[in-house]
Amino acid sequence: MNVIRRRSSIQERGGRARRFTALVRKESYQIVRDPSSILIAFVLPLILLFLFGYGVSLDTTRTRVGLVVEEATPLTRDLAASFQGSRYFAVVNGHDRREFEDDLVLGRVRGILVIPAGFAADHAAGRHPAIQVIVDGSDPNTANFVQNYAQGTVANWERQRFSEGVGRAPAIAAEQRFWFNPELTSRNFLVPGSIAIVMTLVGTLLTSLVVAREWERGTMEAMMATPVSAAELLAGKLLPYFILGLTSMTLCVLLAVFLFGVPFRGSVAALYALSATFLMPALGQGLLISAATKNQFLASQLALITAFLPAFLLSGFLFEINSMPTVIQWITFIVPARYLIPSLQTVFLAGDIWPMFARAIAVMLLIGSVFFALAARSTRKRIG
């Protein structure tokens, strides 16, 4: 009897392995034959990566400003030359601030820098002369930029004159050091962050669309009527998309490093550990959406609203989480991309910081387990 039970157990495990292999093979063939899967997995990520690599930039350089020198002296001309030589400003010269008022209103210049009459006399008398910075307050980010960099240009000018022995020492000298991204190039953190957006599309949007299509066509119910268990079915369907997500991520990383020149200071092991972990909640969310809707249109809309938009807006990718309202900050804790994006940026720019990665991996696994549990429960209810 024991021998019979052992043989039966071996045959059952062998049958389970064959069923699982057949499911994976069937899903892989379906991906290859489906143009929409290739489009979402490879073409759309490339478009997004090129947009974030070349089209989107948070580097505010060569901002067009008007420069008014009301009194031409060697000192004011020297200060004006500092503004003209700055890589942050594209300077248009003038002699009266009224020349630029219409340009400021129409947005042709972002600010007006005025070196007033009496600047040289005040400087020679030992007083601290001031320049006037007029900015367009309708764009607060650019206005703050123009104001801060105008102050920085004046401070650099004073330090340079003091080093040449022709000026007085500035009251306070701040030495700036930027770790990990010395040039403050926005591409170096936008491109790694965009990889998380790409993986969200592949993991959640593509999975929800494909599985919802099978619910629509009735093939999901047909497969559940076979000896295949719900766990085998879900695992067999997700494994090809898991591999597809990692393949898409690998392509994006290669482009980021070799095409966009983003430094990669971490390890490949950390990169794949984080990416593979992130695919768990992404795939689980896609499964849950498809099982709950059983409709491709609804699945795509829900995937965009609940996965893509939160990954784009509530993950810290473009907007600082600490500056959001407190309620929104609490909502971001359930957004998986919140944990992947800073981790990917750290892998690229800083290197391996495993205490940070371990926390992110643990939270993403927890979110993924919740999504998978809900997806499995919803699937059983649909079949029942």
Side-chain angles (χ1 to χ4, degrees), residues 4-17:
I4 295 174
R5 290 197 190 96
R6 193 178 299 114
R7 287 179 178 175
S8 176
S9 177
I10 293 173
Q11 290 175 354
E12 183 179 353
R13 287 197 297 267
R16 189 180 297 118

Side-chain angles (χ1 to χ4, degrees), residues 202-220:
V202 176
T204 304
L205 179 61
L206 182 59
T207 304
S208 63
L209 279 174
V210 173
V211 179
R213 183 169 56 201
E214 296 209 10
W215 282 109
E216 281 184 342
R217 295 174 177 175
T219 55
M220 185 67 77

Side-chain angles (χ1 to χ4, degrees), residues 79 82-83 89 113 115 119 123 129-133 147-161 170:
L79 177 56
S82 294
F83 282 110
F89 295 123
L113 310 176
I115 304 177
F119 180 90
H123 193 275
I131 68 169
Q132 186 178 27
V133 182
Q147 180 181 8
N148 293 334
Y149 276 97
Q151 294 173 352
T153 301
V154 173
N156 289 335
W157 173 75
E158 287 184 331
R159 282 197 297 268
Q160 183 178 358
R161 285 179 58 82

Side-chain angles (χ1 to χ4, degrees), residues 13 34 49 54 78 84 107 124 233 254 256 302 324-325 343 348 367 380:
R13 287 197 297 267
D34 184 10
L49 205 65
Y54 291 121
D78 188 43
Q84 292 164 352
L233 177 60
L254 292 176
L302 276 179
M324 299 177 184
S343 299
F348 273 87
I367 297 173
R380 283 196 296 268

Side-chain angles (χ1 to χ4, degrees), residues 15-32:
R16 189 180 297 118
R18 286 192 298 272
R19 290 196 301 269
F20 181 75
T21 303
L23 282 171
V24 172
R25 187 182 299 114
K26 173 256 181 190
E27 202 64 34
S28 301
Y29 288 156
Q30 182 171 328
I31 292 175
V32 173

